[in-house]
Amino acid sequence: MSRIIDAGLEELSATLYRMGELAHRAVLKALLECLEEREAHKEVREMADTLVVMADRVEDKAFELIARFQPVASDLRTIKSYMKIAYDFARFGRYALDISLINKRLGGLKNCEEWISSCVKDMGEKVLEMVRLSIESLKSHNTQIAEKISENEKEVDKIYFEFLDKLIKNSATTKCAVSSALIMRYLERIADHATYICESIIYIATGHKVFLR
């Protein structure tokens, strides 16, 4: 038998799923802007702003559920985790906007060495896969899917630090060095937040706090 609070929890879950899809599009748009010189700054900014608004709505709804229904421990665990996940998705949008700003202010990766663009593309693909995994685990509350992200996170960290080592050893224009280092850092942070989301999903499903990083 369903409870009154269940409808509110389903509403939160549906909002988060929409946030995840929008966040994925924002990151993809920002990456294509840098790698393929597509103009997308206005669109990425609008998506980032929308994600912030949606995160605020999730928070408001969460407090409403707590105030109205006095949820039991498992429900409180879910509500708390949903609020955190909403923040993580909003951060995806913020970092996507940061990547877009680099393209707007510094020209992104235009005229940079091929190896730089290749590294950014490789890391971007892996980060987008992590975003997809975080959304999939949220949709199904599947802990096995969530746990998969741990290996992806390690791969992204490896690519990031190898890139920094290569950037130090190889010559690159100041613009390209600054642009690529910042873009890679923002991608690494998106990967971290995708991992946080999967940790939250495991916490919702099992009640145990795990660290996948």
Side-chain angles (χ1 to χ4, degrees):
M1 182 175 179
S2 63
R3 304 165 301 159
I4 298 176
I5 194 175
D6 290 335
L9 292 174
E10 288 175 5
E11 181 183 337
L12 281 179
S13 179
T15 300
L16 287 174
Y17 186 69
R18 290 196 300 273
M19 287 185 72
E21 293 294 315
L22 182 60
H24 184 278
R25 291 201 301 273
V27 175
L28 178 60
K29 284 279 185 183
L31 277 170
L32 291 176
E33 184 177 23
C34 289
L35 292 169
E36 299 181 8
E37 300 178 34
R38 300 185 184 183
E39 174 54 47
H41 180 71
K42 181 179 178 182
E43 190 174 357
V44 173
R45 177 176 289 280
E46 288 174 352
M47 288 189 282
D49 290 344
T50 300
L51 285 165
V52 171
V53 172
M54 294 177 77
D56 287 341
R57 289 176 182 167
V58 167
E59 185 175 296
D60 290 343
K61 184 64 179 180
F63 280 117
E64 178 191 334
L65 293 178
I66 293 171
R68 290 183 61 191
F69 301 113
Q70 298 180 326
V72 298
S74 60
D75 294 327
L76 280 173
R77 187 169 71 232
T78 298
I79 292 169
K80 174 186 175 182
S81 298
Y82 280 174
M83 291 171 64
K84 186 177 181 301
I85 291 169
Y87 171 78
D88 291 324
F89 281 143
R91 294 310 299 166
F92 286 176
R94 177 66 244 188
Y95 290 125
L97 181 58
D98 287 335
I99 291 171
S100 182
L101 283 169
I102 292 301
N103 188 69
K104 187 175 179 66
R105 294 288 299 273
L106 301 179
L109 304 179
K110 185 178 180 180
N111 300 323
C112 290
E113 291 79 354
E114 191 278 333
W115 71 266
I116 290 179
S117 296
S118 179
C119 284
V120 172
K121 181 180 180 182
D122 185 27
M123 184 153 168
E125 289 174 349
K126 293 187 182 302
V127 169
L128 284 169
E129 171 63 13
M130 291 180 70
V131 173
R132 188 195 64 78
L133 276 175
S134 70
I135 297 168
E136 188 177 346
S137 66
L138 168 66
K139 188 175 182 181
S140 62
H141 285 196
N142 188 315
T143 58
Q144 291 182 327
I145 294 175
E147 288 168 355
K148 288 180 181 179
I149 209 166
S150 180
E151 287 303 315
N152 298 69
E153 201 273 340
K154 291 175 183 176
E155 289 180 18
V156 165
D157 280 350
K158 183 173 182 289
I159 293 171
Y160 177 60
F161 288 112
E162 286 179 348
F163 169 79
L164 292 180
D165 290 340
K166 193 170 182 179
L167 190 62
I168 291 170
K169 295 175 182 177
N170 290 271
S171 60
T173 64
T174 301
K175 179 187 76 69
C176 288
V178 172
S179 296
S180 59
L182 287 172
I183 291 169
M184 292 290 275
R185 176 57 176 166
Y186 297 142
L187 287 172
E188 191 270 339
R189 292 301 297 140
I190 291 170
D192 282 346
H193 281 280
T195 307
Y196 300 156
I197 290 170
C198 289
E199 290 174 352
S200 293
I201 295 302
I202 294 172
Y203 179 58
I204 291 172
T206 68
H208 299 300
K209 291 188 176 182
V210 300
F211 296 94
L212 301 173
R213 291 150 280 154

